[in-house]
Amino acid sequence: MDFGSIVGHKEITEHLKSLIQNNRVNHAYIFDGPKGIGKMTLAKAFAKTLNCEKGGTEPCNSCISCKTFDQDNNPDVIYVTHKTAGITVEDVREQIVKNIALRPYRNRYKIFIIADAHKMNIAAQNTFLKSLEEPPAYAVFILLSENSNSFLVTVLSRCVMFKLRPLPYDTVAGYISRTKGIDYDEALLCSRYSMGNIGKAEELALSEDFSRLRDESADIALRIEDADMIELYDIIDGIREDRVKLGQILENIYMLYRDALVYIKTGDEKRLIQPDKIYPISHIAEKSGASALIRRCEAIEDTGVKLRNNGNAQLLLEALFFKIKEK
Ligand SMILES: [Zn+2]
């Protein structure tokens, strides 16, 4: 675990290294970006380097601090956790406020890595603010967030924010194909499918279900295209029970519609996320047209949100399929 082994995010890693080199480390950082983008990896490289006894811009991997860090056993790097859906006042009080006054055991910094920091409720943020406002010289907070809009302005104003962006598709594909021994084209498909999100791409590449579900979804998308009412209800009966799988099927169909739209607009197969599904894609493109596809994508997004909020799958699917079939 060091900066050198991080895939992409070069500007951020160079910036963090220069802060360490110039002794300009702030008390609090927010690493913001979607799940799987690499926030924790970056936080670990930063924390390990900060506390390395050699004091360089990369961890030495041989001092006690580096070694205990690698064993998840460095007493001066604290991973703030939470048992409930959100981070509560109690979590902040027990793991940060009570802890911060104690000097580091043996390292220069005492580092708090707060995963899911966007889930800190307002009361918890206010409690955290007290530690953030007057931190001891040795304290560093690294907040990992999927939604920086959830922070109070008073918290935001005391943190340095880094936004982690998706990586180029070939960078992600090259990395996955190299490290997981996966065929490059397959890795590229996963990379595109995840929109350059390295964690998600890796998950897809290693999933046994992904390829099978893509096939099944392509079949369903084709059936919908030519279905009458009876057939539509048959499709609904076949997919409504397993909500997790249903979510994935809808996401897959969304991706096919997106590809069909790109195919209509550019005619370029190289721009498709799933070039291996050119047949359903060209057929869907021919039958529906661009504006219908845009409407369909919006309808799927809307259905996905309602399904995640525990909406009735049968009713939502009926409404969705009627919209899809609407001329
Ligand atoms: Zn070291």
Side-chain angles (χ1 to χ4, degrees), residues 52-54 59-63 65-66:
C52 173
E53 290 162 21
K54 298 273 163 64
C60 74
N61 290 321
S62 56
C63 69
S65 175
C66 284

Side-chain angles (χ1 to χ4, degrees), residues 2 36-37 44 67 72 87 107 123 125 157 171 173 275 282 308:
D2 53 31
I37 200 92
K44 284 186 166 181
K67 283 186 171 161
D72 266 339
I87 300 178
N107 293 288
Q125 288 190 49
S157 66
T171 305
S282 56
R308 283 191 291 280

Side-chain angles (χ1 to χ4, degrees), residues 91-127:
D91 295 324
V92 172
R93 208 173 273 152
E94 289 300 319
Q95 298 175 66
I96 299 176
V97 178
K98 279 191 182 171
N99 205 340
I100 196 168
L102 305 170
R103 297 190 58 81
Y105 284 92
R106 52 170 297 130
N107 293 288
R108 178 169 179 193
Y109 295 105
K110 187 159 191 165
I111 302 164
F112 296 82
I113 298 178
I114 311 173
D116 291 335
H118 58 286
K119 293 183 179 167
M120 227 190 279
N121 64 36
I122 300 294
Q125 288 190 49
N126 276 314
T127 307

Side-chain angles (χ1 to χ4, degrees), residues 47 86 96 151 192 202 216 228 239 248 261 266 283 308:
I96 299 176
F151 294 116
R192 287 186 166 155
E202 205 167 5
E216 193 179 334
D228 57 17
I239 60 176
Q248 289 163 339
L261 189 58
T266 70
H283 181 71
R308 283 191 291 280

Side-chain angles (χ1 to χ4, degrees), residues 204-246:
L204 294 177
L206 296 175
S207 156
E208 286 173 11
D209 291 338
F210 181 52
S211 164
R212 198 176 41 73
L213 259 178
R214 285 201 310 116
D215 291 345
E216 193 179 334
S217 307
D219 282 344
I220 293 171
L222 270 180
R223 278 173 71 196
I224 293 173
E225 219 54 56
D226 303 312
D228 57 17
M229 277 303 145
I230 296 169
E231 172 86 1
L232 277 185
Y233 274 98
D234 276 350
I235 298 173
I236 292 175
D237 285 344
I239 60 176
R240 71 166 175 220
E241 295 292 344
D242 182 342
R243 292 178 83 96
V244 175
K245 188 175 161 192
L246 173 57

